[in-house]
Amino acid sequence: MPVLRTTLMAATGLALGLQASALAGTGVTISSYGQRSLLIQGGGQSVLLNPYRAVGCAAGLGEPRVNAGVILASSELADEGARGVASGRFLVAPGSYRIGGLVLEGFASPHDRIDGRRFGDATLWRWQQGGLNFAHLGATAGPLSGADKVLLGRPDVLIIGVGGGSKIYDGAEAADVVKQLNPKRVIPVQYVNGEAPADCDQEGVQPFLDAMAGTTIRQVGTRMSLPGSLSDTTVIDVMR
């Protein structure tokens, strides 16, 4: 597996670099639908993350029934990668993809803290859009391996689950990953607002924000725009 990931990194690094040059400076607009579902538009592309059905921790939320060029799912669990909710090319399996000018890399990571023995693997995603490097770690609780960190590099934008429970980083774990990757922007996802639905083992975003004390935090609502070039200091954008 380390050899495979090293080969993948070498093969895709040039392609991602060329793609970044083509789309440099255009920036993106990001819309949040709750849970870990974000629509990222920019560079002539639209990428939807983790469409869900309104079950489990997503109970009571409006399902993201939108159109996108590409849909990236962490798994096919109903609350983090439901087929048939949104329209677009649905990707969930690890691999290297080129779609509509985008180069997307997905690789497996344990979905739980016991090396995937309970919930199997989730897919982590890496791509470039609008001149920005994105990393999507919306559905994992496993520690990053050395190979993972090499592949992810230093993201411009890190999307990371923070709500805790059996399949998601808790606030302290997510903060540790942020410190390892040192991204420029962090978008925390997969946490509950208010009281958790029945049978949902997750909590709110505040434990993560507390663990990131000293970092600039912006409350940006459900929609924001990012330029194609970001300042070097880490900023947390809370979308809700």
Side-chain angles (χ1 to χ4, degrees), residues 68-90:
V70 179
I71 298 170
L72 300 181
S74 300
S75 78
E76 292 193 70
L77 294 176
D79 65 345
E80 63 185 48
R83 292 182 183 268
V85 171
S87 300
R89 174 75 180 274
F90 189 98

Side-chain angles (χ1 to χ4, degrees), residues 158 160-162 170-188 205-218 233-238:
L158 173 64
I160 185 168
V162 303
D170 63 26
E173 291 167 336
D176 183 59
V177 171
V178 170
K179 291 168 186 175
Q180 292 178 58
L181 296 179
N182 190 29
K184 297 177 181 179
R185 291 294 178 96
V186 181
I187 303 177
V205 71
Q206 194 59 48
F208 170 69
L209 301 182
D210 291 344
M212 292 295 298
T215 305
T216 299
I217 298 170
R218 303 192 314 158
T233 304
T234 298
V235 175
I236 299 172
D237 289 321
V238 179

Side-chain angles (χ1 to χ4, degrees), residues 7-238:
T7 302
L8 176 62
M9 178 191 67
T12 61
L14 177 59
L16 287 170
L18 292 173
Q19 186 66 19
S21 297
L23 301 178
T26 59
V28 298
T29 298
I30 303 176
S31 303
S32 173
Y33 295 90
Q35 283 288 87
R36 73 208 88 184
S37 186
L38 304 176
L39 178 64
I40 303 170
Q41 298 169 292
Q45 310 293 335
S46 60
V47 177
L48 178 67
L49 308 182
N50 292 41
Y52 58 81
R53 297 200 181 277
V55 298
C57 290
L61 299 178
E63 296 175 351
R65 296 189 174 276
V66 300
N67 297 319
V70 179
I71 298 170
L72 300 181
S74 300
S75 78
E76 292 193 70
L77 294 176
D79 65 345
E80 63 185 48
R83 292 182 183 268
V85 171
S87 300
R89 174 75 180 274
F90 189 98
L91 302 178
V92 66
S96 177
Y97 304 88
R98 182 182 288 274
I99 300 173
L102 286 175
V103 178
L104 308 111
E105 304 295 339
F107 48 100
S109 180
H111 208 331
D112 52 48
R113 295 176 182 82
I114 52 175
D115 201 30
R117 291 192 295 275
R118 182 177 180 189
F119 294 109
D121 286 338
T123 301
L124 310 184
W125 291 101
R126 173 182 181 245
W127 75 101
Q128 292 184 331
Q129 184 179 358
L132 299 171
N133 296 311
F134 285 85
H136 176 31
L137 282 65
T140 182
L144 294 181
S145 68
D148 292 336
K149 287 183 276 190
V150 170
L151 275 173
L152 293 170
R154 186 191 182 192
D156 291 314
V157 182
L158 173 64
I159 299 156
I160 185 168
V162 303
S166 56
K167 303 189 295 291
I168 303 295
Y169 291 131
D170 63 26
E173 291 167 336
D176 183 59
V177 171
V178 170
K179 291 168 186 175
Q180 292 178 58
L181 296 179
N182 190 29
K184 297 177 181 179
R185 291 294 178 96
V186 181
I187 303 177
V189 295
Q190 194 54 46
Y191 56 86
V192 297
N193 286 314
E195 186 175 351
D199 301 321
C200 176
D201 62 356
Q202 293 164 12
E203 58 185 0
V205 71
Q206 194 59 48
F208 170 69
L209 301 182
D210 291 344
M212 292 295 298
T215 305
T216 299
I217 298 170
R218 303 192 314 158
Q219 303 285 342
V220 299
T222 60
R223 186 178 173 88
M224 69 173 179
S225 295
L226 295 176
S229 179
L230 300 175
S231 62
D232 198 53
T233 304
T234 298
V235 175
I236 299 172
D237 289 321
V238 179

